[in-house]
């Protein structure tokens, strides 16, 4: 059973906005149900004022589109909806159509863990207009959030450098499903483990944890609490030392560690959860080293994010493991990605494809037409050079040099012959999975390798370099022609 199916009912067909259903009803009433369409899911601005995104959520998206169907109770519910006049919103014949017509689409996507940039389609959906329309909302829900959190996690892990990063955010997440999705995406983005046990079971993510202040407070003394915990969990002793006095707590942990060692066990370390982390970690390191616990880890957890990690590192904090919770799983500094799902081409049965464009007074919001593919060009040493978006039906220009035009119509030239790879891969055809997904550990490794291949300027937190992404010459010309025609 899919991971979504383990959490929810077999059908998620109603996990959409009402206007997706009213539009679908309108297409059906107008006899347009067999019109084909192409939609692209993408975002317009890199999150966190950064230089990139990490695509995530694809496995759940595949689960969704390959299992979605309307059940009897779905249709019974839709039959109860009424319009402003009190009459049924949908005809019975339309509800029968929803039940009898497969929600079959083709879906192409960049592999999970791929580094992506604004305006590039992370997912391309093609099929009859009604299923394509109905999938807009759930696909955005799945891809937007996990892409956001995977990107945030990659930034936190970059700040931690070679240290271990644990995701500790379930208790502060937006509901169970938000917590589970965040744990999965955070692991893809580079976190080493999670405190979320359900995520460990569902997604095969390593789980880690210590104890809370409540444990210490249950006992008459802090020493009693540590000794009792050591007896119960001699192979998992990370002592939370700041319930009362942090420095004294570390000393007591070291005493209990000596008792553990005498019995053939080794204390894992201590956890700091408040105060001046840089200063306290230095005191803790000296106490542990003086007691002979040179390998004991110092874990920190206190409203951490990449910028706080960066600051603590710069102050020489002696922290080995970072427990990052609220600011990671909620992406507190930017809690939404803002990804969109835009119609780019349509065709009537037996007809030719007709490109579509959405206009806006804001240039960045003018959509790109056509059946788009991303071609990533590489330098000879394997580092990415630039990304070109082209219309797959027409192919790229055959000129000796390739020009790409960004969202502001600024152009850049790429020499023909530069190594490249097309990024969108077929994952679903006619509603059926056509490619096995890699396991989550492979996805995580792919994300790490992808990110490492980009110039450091793209990865930096402050004023990152803008990686070149643009439309191929013919696609740009078609966009400008449509722009003028609709103006």
């Amino acid at each position: 059973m899919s991971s979504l199916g383990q959490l929810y009912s077999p059908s998620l067909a109603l996990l959409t906005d009402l206007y997706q259903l009213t539009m679908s009803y309108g297409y059906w009433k107008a006899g347009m149900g067999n019109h084909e369409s192409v939609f692209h899911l993408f975002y317009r601005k890199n999150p966190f004022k950064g230089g990139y995104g990490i695509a995530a959520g694809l496995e759940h998206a595949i689960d969704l589109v390959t299992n979605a169907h309307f059940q009897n109770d779905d249709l019974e519910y839709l039959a109860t909806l009424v319009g402003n006049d009190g009459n049924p919103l949908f005809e019975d014949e339309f509800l029968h159509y929803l039940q009898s017509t497969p929600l079959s689409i083709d879906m192409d996507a960049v592999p999970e863990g791929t580094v992506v940039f604004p305006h590039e389609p992370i997912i391309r959906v093609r099929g009859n207009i009604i299923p394509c329309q109905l999938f807009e909302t759930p696909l955005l829900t799945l891809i937007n959030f996990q892409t956001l959190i995977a990107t945030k996690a990659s930034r936190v892990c970059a700040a931690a450098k070679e240290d271990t990063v644990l995701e500790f955010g379930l208790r502060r997440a937006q509901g169970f499903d938000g917590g589970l999705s965040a744990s999965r995406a955070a692991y893809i983005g580079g976190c080493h483990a999670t405190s979320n046990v359900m995520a460990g079971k569902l997604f095969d993510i390593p789980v880690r944890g210590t104890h809370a202040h409540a444990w210490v407070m249950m006992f008459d003394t802090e020493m009693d609490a540590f000794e009792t915990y050591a007896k119960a969990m001699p192979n998992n002793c990370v002592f939370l030392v700041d319930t009362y006095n942090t420095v004294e707590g570390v000393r007591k942990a070291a005493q209990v560690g000596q008792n553990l060692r005498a019995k053939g066990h080794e204390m894992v370390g201590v956890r700091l959860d408040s105060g001046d982390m840089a200063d306290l970690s230095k005191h803790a390191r000296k106490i542990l080293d003086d007691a002979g616990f040179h390998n004991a880890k110092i874990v920190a957890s206190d409203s951490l994010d990449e910028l706080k990690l960066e600051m603590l590192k710069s102050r020489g904090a002696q922290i080995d493991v970072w427990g990052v919770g609220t600011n990671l799983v909620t992406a507190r500094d930017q809690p939404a990605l803002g990804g969109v799902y835009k119609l780019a081409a349509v065709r009537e049965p037996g007809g030719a494809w007709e490109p579509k464009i959405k206009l806006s007074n804001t240039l960045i919001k003018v959509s790109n037409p056509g059946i788009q593919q991303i071609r990533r060009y590489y330098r000879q040493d394997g580092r990415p050079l630039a990304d070109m978006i082209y219309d797959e039906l027409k192919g790229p220009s055959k000129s000796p040099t390739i020009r790409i035009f960004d969202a502001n119509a600024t152009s850049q030239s790429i020499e023909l012959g530069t190594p490249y790879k097309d990024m969108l891969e077929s994952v679903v055809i006619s509603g059926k999975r056509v490619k096995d997904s890699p396991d989550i550990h492979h996805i995580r490794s792919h994300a790490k390798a992808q990110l490492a291949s980009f110039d450091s300027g793209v990865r930096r937190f402050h004023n990152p370099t803008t990686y070149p992404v643009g439309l191929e010459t013919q696609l740009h010309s078609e966009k400008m022609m449509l722009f003028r025609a609709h103006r």
Side-chain angles (χ1 to χ4, degrees):
M1 183 183 292
S2 71
S3 56
L4 287 180
Q6 288 176 276
L7 290 171
Y8 303 105
S9 65
S11 171
L12 293 175
L14 293 187
L15 188 65
T16 192
D17 290 310
L18 180 61
Y19 82 157
Q20 310 292 6
L21 282 156
T22 58
M23 284 190 287
S24 297
Y25 179 59
Y27 295 138
W28 177 79
K29 286 283 285 185
M32 298 171 64
N34 290 329
H35 282 50
E36 278 191 274
S37 60
V38 173
F39 287 81
H40 298 100
L41 188 157
F42 60 95
Y43 65 84
R44 298 187 178 112
K45 292 183 180 179
N46 286 317
F48 314 113
K49 299 180 181 178
Y52 66 91
I54 300 286
L58 177 61
E59 178 58 24
H60 285 173
I62 295 172
D63 276 355
L64 176 89
V65 302
T66 55
N67 290 294
H69 61 280
F70 286 94
Q71 300 183 137
N72 288 335
D73 58 341
D74 296 332
L75 301 176
E76 289 169 3
Y77 169 73
L78 291 178
T80 69
L81 301 182
V82 297
N84 289 335
D85 59 1
N87 291 318
L89 203 56
F90 305 113
E91 296 178 32
D92 289 342
E93 290 83 357
F94 174 66
L95 300 181
H96 176 73
Y97 171 86
L98 291 180
Q99 187 174 42
S100 60
T101 305
L103 298 177
S104 298
I105 60 162
D106 297 342
M107 190 164 77
D108 302 276
V110 298
E112 274 200 277
T114 297
V115 173
V116 290
F117 301 96
H119 305 289
E120 298 182 338
I122 298 173
I123 286 181
R124 183 178 70 195
V125 172
R126 173 175 168 175
N128 288 346
I129 183 62
I130 290 176
C132 288
Q133 193 73 70
L134 291 173
F135 284 132
E136 174 181 2
T137 298
L139 286 176
L140 284 170
T141 297
L142 293 170
I143 301 300
N144 272 344
F145 183 65
Q146 291 199 45
T147 296
L148 183 75
I149 302 305
T151 306
K152 184 68 169 178
S154 76
R155 291 165 59 87
V156 171
C157 292
K161 301 186 185 300
E162 299 304 314
D163 297 344
T164 297
V165 178
L166 309 178
E167 178 270 302
F168 277 178
L170 178 58
R171 66 182 59 199
R172 302 285 176 78
Q174 273 78 349
F176 295 160
D177 49 355
L180 287 164
S181 294
S183 294
R184 181 180 187 276
Y187 187 68
I188 289 172
C191 289
H192 296 81
T194 179
S195 64
N196 185 340
V197 181
M198 179 66 82
K201 175 188 175 185
L202 290 176
F203 309 133
D204 193 30
I205 302 172
V207 292
R208 298 271 290 275
T210 60
H211 64 74
H213 293 109
W215 173 267
V216 178
M217 295 162 66
M218 279 291 294
F219 296 85
D220 292 335
T221 69
E222 191 172 45
M223 183 64 81
D224 288 342
F226 290 171
E227 288 177 338
T228 306
Y229 193 76
K231 290 177 183 177
M233 303 285 292
N235 59 351
N236 189 48
C237 283
V238 178
F239 299 109
L240 179 57
V241 294
D242 73 329
T243 305
Y244 304 118
N245 180 291
T246 302
V247 174
E248 287 303 313
V250 178
R251 290 195 178 103
K252 291 169 185 171
Q255 291 178 43
V256 176
Q258 298 285 10
N259 297 334
L260 272 171
R261 183 174 283 174
K263 296 176 182 178
H265 302 288
E266 195 69 15
M267 175 178 69
V268 179
V270 299
R271 177 160 72 96
L272 310 175
D273 192 50
S274 60
D276 186 329
M277 292 288 184
D279 186 54
L280 290 171
S281 68
K282 293 173 187 177
H283 283 297
R285 184 75 272 158
K286 185 176 188 309
I287 292 168
L288 293 170
D289 287 349
D290 288 349
F293 294 104
H294 301 282
N295 294 325
K297 305 298 183 184
I298 298 176
V299 183
S301 56
D302 180 26
S303 300
L304 300 174
D305 62 14
E306 68 270 36
L307 301 182
K308 192 167 182 179
L309 264 68
E310 189 177 54
M311 179 271 292
L312 288 169
K313 285 276 191 181
S314 71
R315 291 182 57 198
Q318 298 295 297
I319 295 168
D320 308 291
V321 180
W322 305 86
V324 187
T326 306
N327 292 329
L328 171 56
V329 304
T330 67
R332 178 178 279 178
D333 49 336
Q334 185 189 321
L337 179 64
V340 294
Y341 182 92
K342 295 299 179 185
L343 180 67
V346 299
R347 70 173 173 181
E348 298 180 14
W353 283 104
E354 179 184 352
K356 293 290 183 177
I357 188 173
K358 173 200 171 290
L359 300 189
S360 172
N361 290 326
T362 305
L363 192 58
I364 197 173
K365 289 190 173 183
V366 177
S367 67
N368 296 324
I371 302 176
Q372 298 161 33
Q373 173 63 276
I374 312 163
R375 179 161 292 182
R376 179 159 293 169
Y377 289 89
Y378 296 88
R379 298 180 175 91
Q380 294 302 322
D381 62 5
R383 289 180 298 137
L385 172 64
D387 288 4
M388 178 183 71
I389 303 170
Y390 70 94
D391 189 323
E392 201 166 65
L393 287 181
K394 298 177 181 177
S397 168
K398 305 299 183 185
S399 60
T401 59
I402 296 173
R403 295 178 70 200
I404 61 172
F405 295 80
D406 65 21
N408 295 313
T410 303
S411 68
Q412 174 172 324
S413 295
I414 303 172
E415 294 296 326
L416 197 65
T418 303
Y420 66 82
K421 179 182 179 181
D422 285 349
M423 306 298 290
L424 290 170
E425 301 176 356
S426 182
V427 292
V428 174
I429 295 178
S430 299
K432 304 294 183 184
R433 182 191 289 264
V434 295
K435 183 175 183 180
D436 290 335
S437 297
D439 65 42
I440 197 168
H441 312 296
H442 178 89
I443 296 170
R444 180 176 180 272
S445 296
H446 174 63
K448 183 177 181 180
Q450 276 264 308
L451 198 53
S453 71
F454 281 84
D455 291 343
S456 60
V458 174
R459 305 194 304 267
R460 67 178 175 237
F461 302 155
H462 311 286
N463 301 312
T465 302
T466 300
Y467 177 79
V469 176
L471 302 184
E472 181 268 341
T473 304
Q474 294 179 107
L475 183 55
H476 177 258
S477 297
E478 182 171 65
K479 179 178 179 177
M480 291 299 100
M481 180 183 69
L482 290 168
F483 185 92
R484 289 189 292 268
H486 288 290
R487 276 294 188 199

